[in-house]
């Protein structure tokens, strides 16, 4: 996806994946800085750790408390800091890191585009209270959802996020647990990791809440075959979408941060879909 976007933009860059242990994250970022990398994306479990490792935090990373995109900035001879991906020439005096979060905006963008689901005023059942669930819950609250139910295997983590939302967004009615089974919700959003393995069961306990009571179901998991949750949702005539759109938009935004230019989203989407189909 990134290399397809980079090629179309005519940039002389390469996007490469590395596996790094959490204990080595600081050293990995330092190595990339020393080698004059343009940027980095970070995924589980590095997004929270990186908050304390970058030199500067963009407001997006401060708001969501997680970093998935790092941009390297250089200081020029006049003392101005500029992205290394947009370096105009001249000697780089010093390099620093700036952390961003492009996940949160990607969630709502994909909900709107792929499900025609507008978070403002909506009632949402959110499954999962890990890193992804927390960002989704806070983003939905910031967008003005009316009612939010948080369900997680470890209930205390859902309760903690509920407290955070009550403090920051008092107009959102937030509950821990399922809605009553006779209610309708606009959206069920899966942010658990259940579904990553083809044998995983659905993360929704239908004894607690029937899936047909949701107008739309979004699964952050993306796999070539539909997850158990999306299969059940489709059988119940709900609108459905998987996490491909979210993956796409966080990447498009990252490439735009590094390059300072509009990234070719449709080229990137085609490359991503090709890749997911071949996996
Ligand atoms: P991510 O950053 O992708 O959110 P995470 O922080 O490890 O990853 O969160 C994983 C989420 O999936 C959590 O909500 C987790 O529930 P717990 O908080 O109880 O661990 C959920 N999850 C993982 N495996 C699960 C399973 N077998 N059944 C139910 N929920 C599960």
């Amino acid at each position: 996806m990134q290399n397809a976007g980079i090629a179309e933009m005519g940039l002389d860059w390469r996007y490469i994946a590395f596996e790094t242990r959490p204990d080595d994250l600081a050293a990995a970022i330092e190595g990339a800085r020393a080698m004059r990398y343009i940027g980095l994306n970070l995924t589980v479990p590095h997004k929270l750790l990186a908050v304390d490792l970058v030199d500067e935090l963009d407001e997006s990373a401060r708001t969501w408390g997680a970093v998935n995109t790092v941009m390297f900035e250089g200081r020029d001879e006049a003392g101005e800091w500029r992205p290394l991906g947009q370096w105009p020439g001249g000697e780089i005096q010093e390099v620093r890191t700036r952390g961003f979060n492009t996940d949160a905006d990607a969630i709502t963008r994909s909900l709107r585009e792929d499900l025609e689901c507008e978070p403002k005023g909506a009632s949402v059942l959110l499954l999962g209270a890990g890193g992804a669930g927390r960002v989704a819950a806070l983003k939905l609250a910031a967008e003005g959802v009316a009612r939010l139910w948080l369900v997680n295997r470890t209930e205390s983590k859902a309760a903690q996020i509920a407290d955070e939302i009550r403090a920051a967004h008092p107009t959102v009615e937030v509950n821990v647990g399922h809605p009553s089974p006779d209610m309708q919700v606009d959206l069920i959003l899966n942010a658990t990791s259940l579904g990553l393995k083809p044998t995983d069961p659905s993360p929704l306990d239908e004894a607690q809440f029937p899936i047909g009571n949701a107008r739309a179901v979004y699964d952050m998991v993306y796999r070539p075959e539909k997850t158990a949750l999306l299969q059940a949702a489709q059988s119940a005539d709900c609108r459905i979408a998987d996490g491909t759109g979210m993956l796409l938009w966080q990447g498009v935004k990252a490439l735009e941060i590094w390059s300072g230019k509009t990234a070719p989203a449709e080229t990137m989407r085609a490359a991503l879909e090709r890749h997911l189909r071949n996996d």
Side-chain angles (χ1 to χ4, degrees):
M1 166 175 83
Q2 291 290 1
N3 283 321
I6 285 165
E8 185 158 322
M9 291 168 87
L11 296 165
D12 182 19
W13 303 354
R14 293 290 180 278
Y15 189 93
I16 319 168
F18 296 100
E19 189 119 2
T20 304
R21 291 190 341 213
D23 286 350
D24 292 329
L25 181 60
I29 294 174
E30 277 317 298
R33 183 208 304 260
M35 290 187 287
R36 301 268 164 96
Y37 272 48
I38 284 157
L40 301 170
N41 278 136
L42 306 171
T43 190
V44 180
H46 300 306
K47 295 183 191 186
L48 301 181
L49 297 171
V51 172
D52 295 325
L53 294 178
V54 291
D55 299 318
E56 302 287 326
L57 279 179
D58 179 70
E59 192 174 328
S60 58
R62 216 173 299 129
T63 304
W64 311 115
V67 170
N68 78 318
T69 301
V70 175
M71 177 177 80
F72 291 95
E73 293 177 323
R75 189 166 52 77
D76 66 16
E77 280 161 342
E80 292 273 324
W81 290 95
R82 300 171 190 279
L84 291 194
Q86 302 162 45
W87 194 253
E91 206 181 314
I92 299 168
Q93 306 293 315
E94 191 187 344
V95 177
R96 72 180 182 188
T97 52
R98 183 180 291 276
F100 295 78
N101 185 297
T102 69
D103 287 329
D105 286 352
I107 297 170
T108 41
R109 178 143 197 189
S110 182
L111 288 176
R112 290 192 177 105
E113 291 198 356
D114 301 327
L115 280 181
E116 291 163 29
C117 176
E118 172 52 52
K120 193 170 168 56
S123 49
V124 180
L125 166 55
L126 176 64
L127 309 171
R134 180 176 168 278
V135 170
L138 293 173
K139 175 66 177 171
L140 289 169
E143 292 276 334
V145 291
R147 307 181 75 181
L148 194 53
W149 287 267
L150 304 178
V151 170
N152 195 47
R153 177 178 60 181
T154 313
E155 196 176 273
S156 57
K157 282 159 75 180
Q160 204 173 335
I161 296 171
D163 286 344
E164 216 177 314
I165 291 174
R166 285 187 195 108
H169 305 283
T171 57
V172 177
E173 187 195 312
V174 54
N175 311 275
V176 176
H178 294 85
S180 74
D182 55 355
M183 282 195 66
Q184 293 275 318
V185 297
D186 296 303
L187 175 69
I188 296 176
L189 174 53
N190 176 42
T192 76
S193 47
L194 272 181
L196 285 175
K197 290 197 288 292
T199 50
D200 278 345
S202 166
L204 177 68
D205 179 358
E206 289 213 51
Q208 301 276 349
F209 190 74
I211 199 160
N213 290 13
R215 289 183 188 87
V217 177
Y218 191 96
D219 198 336
M220 282 195 189
V221 172
Y222 46 85
R223 285 201 292 110
E225 328 85 68
K226 286 194 182 70
T227 58
L229 177 71
L230 291 185
Q231 284 177 29
Q234 194 171 36
S235 303
D237 280 336
C238 313
R239 273 179 289 136
I240 59 168
D242 69 16
T244 312
M246 196 184 146
L247 179 63
L248 170 71
W249 291 115
Q250 63 75 33
V252 167
K253 182 69 190 173
L255 186 50
E256 291 180 343
I257 287 170
W258 300 320
S259 67
K261 299 195 179 105
T262 304
E266 286 320 306
T267 299
M268 294 172 73
R269 186 197 297 276
L272 173 59
E273 284 175 355
R274 246 188 341 266
H275 177 81
L276 291 175
R277 272 198 306 272
N278 291 343
D279 260 357

